[in-house]
Amino acid sequence: MAFTLRGRSLPDGEPIELWIHDDGTFAAEPIPGAELLAADGWILPGLVDAHCHVGIRFGGGAEDADGLVAQAVTERDAGVLLLRDAGSPVDTRHLDERADLPRIVRAGRHIAAPKRYIRGLPVDLEDESQLPDEVVRQARAGDGWVKLVGDWIDRDTGDLAPLWSDEILVEAIAAAHREGARVTAHVFGEDALPGLLAAGIDCVEHGTGLTDDTIAAMAAQGTALVPTLVNIDNFPEIADSATRFPVYAAHMRDLHARVADTVAAARDAGIPIYAGTDAGGSVRHGRIADEVAALGKAGLTPTEALGAASWAARTWLGYPSLQPGTSADLTVYAQDPCSGPDVLARPDLVMLRGAVVTRRAACA
């Protein structure tokens, strides 16, 4: 069935009218007889969670088949129709067979060293010389992304420390790029960032340890940042549990205390910033509205923060919407979704691949 919608678009708020073919793509011209789904409201490309984990159970461990579907449905019902999975211990490709679930852009499994990340989640390499070959394997298993663990607590030093030498990072990231994959890294602290940036990494996850120098390097290189602020809120609790490592605990508290200033400095420097919740493990799925609100409190304008979870993130990941020939993935809101998380978290209409999956009374 063909559909049409009328409303206002963002970021400019201009009137927009859309037509959707029965094959689930946007049409370039009006379609006679198309069913009107919405005559007013705010129309957005489907929301994006640019850092989540479909496959990690809340509280830890690998998720089962029913749990995978439940995670994806939770995201979809919150209007999130595109997920960048930043590392999963389980194979989720069977979810692609369901047209009613969000698209997933996968980064394969985390790559780490023994005892330098959460047990059971990563591929652990006994020697860093194995990193380039493993990066190639994960690039071929994923959807154009590879995820490194850049730093984690080193119990011998009692603080965050890099996992990899600068030299092996150059070789590994070059290997990923030859495979056509982009590379991102989990980084909480300061020390791992210079080596990762010098090696040409494409994105930094969390980035709480950014300094003036590494912010300048990221801006010059166009390296993206996904701050995952709703997960950074857990840093004080992590610190409280780290009684055996007082230096690490103090470090985590400091990173948390200055994260808003860090993100604001990155934004002011022109670093591309995208919204990701780090859902899975310690953060429940479906919280993209909270992440958008947190980005706004950290210095992004309301429109920038929303774009970081919608049109800007889709372009970055290669899945634009609302354009002729693209998949009809959209959300509609009776109120301006820039007005706050309560509105953004409850879209009045959700359309995925041209099919209506959620419709509230406001869009009836």
Side-chain angles (χ1 to χ4, degrees):
M1 180 179 293
F3 298 107
T4 185
L5 302 95
R6 295 192 295 269
R8 285 162 284 179
S9 65
L10 287 170
D12 52 21
E14 292 297 313
I16 188 173
E17 188 166 6
L18 299 168
W19 295 271
I20 299 157
H21 289 296
D22 55 11
D23 67 357
T25 63
F26 288 107
E29 298 178 351
I31 301 175
E35 178 184 345
L36 180 64
L37 289 180
D40 194 11
W42 300 84
I43 302 174
L44 291 182
L47 299 181
V48 180
D49 190 331
H51 181 134
C52 68
H53 303 279
V54 179
I56 300 177
R57 180 175 296 159
F58 182 72
E63 189 56 273
D64 60 23
D66 290 342
L68 295 178
V69 172
Q71 290 179 351
V73 167
T74 297
E75 295 289 0
R76 182 200 69 194
D77 290 351
V80 179
L81 307 182
L82 180 63
L83 306 170
R84 186 179 65 138
D85 189 308
S88 175
V90 299
D91 184 1
T92 62
R93 289 199 176 275
H94 63 281
L95 297 179
D96 294 347
E97 299 171 5
R98 289 189 48 167
D100 63 330
L101 297 181
R103 286 180 173 82
I104 302 177
V105 178
R106 299 169 180 84
R109 293 187 68 174
H110 302 77
I111 306 175
K115 299 182 181 180
R116 295 298 304 280
Y117 197 56
I118 302 168
R119 181 182 300 176
L121 298 187
V123 175
D124 288 328
L125 305 183
E126 294 295 333
D127 190 279
E128 72 165 26
S129 63
Q130 301 170 298
L131 184 60
D133 286 344
E134 186 59 39
V135 161
V136 170
R137 277 190 287 272
Q138 296 303 324
R140 294 175 180 176
D143 298 311
W145 283 93
V146 175
K147 172 73 175 293
L148 306 179
V149 178
D151 69 4
W152 195 251
I153 186 171
D154 183 331
R155 288 164 176 79
D156 292 334
T157 62
D159 198 4
L160 294 165
L163 272 71
W164 319 105
S165 69
D166 293 354
E167 295 76 18
I168 203 66
L169 287 172
V170 170
E171 188 177 344
I173 291 174
H177 288 168
R178 286 193 296 271
E179 293 292 321
R182 290 184 277 184
V183 184
T184 192
H186 163 107
V187 191
F188 282 163
E190 298 86 355
D191 294 346
L193 285 164
L196 290 163
L197 292 169
I201 198 157
D202 302 283
C203 182
V204 170
E205 311 296 321
H206 318 301
T208 42
L210 285 168
T211 64
D212 289 346
D213 288 344
T214 48
I215 285 173
M218 287 183 68
Q221 296 172 201
T223 310
L225 173 65
V226 183
T228 68
L229 294 174
V230 295
N231 186 33
I232 305 308
D233 284 343
N234 292 318
F235 277 21
E237 182 179 347
I238 294 171
D240 289 345
S241 67
T243 55
R244 293 174 53 206
F245 304 102
V247 174
Y248 166 74
H251 195 179
M252 294 294 281
R253 291 190 181 97
D254 178 61
L255 294 170
H256 175 263
R258 54 189 169 92
V259 66
D261 291 338
T262 301
V263 173
R267 180 264 181 191
D268 291 345
I271 291 173
I273 297 173
Y274 302 105
T277 63
D278 209 357
S282 60
V283 177
R284 292 191 182 277
H285 281 269
R287 293 193 58 194
I288 196 62
D290 294 330
E291 184 68 19
V292 170
L295 289 172
K297 293 177 182 177
L300 277 68
T301 69
T303 302
E304 288 171 343
L306 183 54
S310 183
W311 58 87
R314 281 186 163 270
T315 298
W316 179 56
L317 293 174
Y319 288 87
S321 191
L322 307 191
Q323 301 174 17
T326 65
S327 180
D329 302 338
L330 59 84
T331 54
V332 181
Y333 300 84
Q335 301 178 56
D336 184 350
C338 286
S339 62
D342 291 342
V343 173
L344 186 61
R346 287 178 54 83
D348 294 292
L349 185 146
V350 177
M351 171 173 280
L352 177 59
R353 300 178 177 93
V356 176
V357 293
T358 299
R359 193 177 190 184
R360 303 187 192 280
C363 276

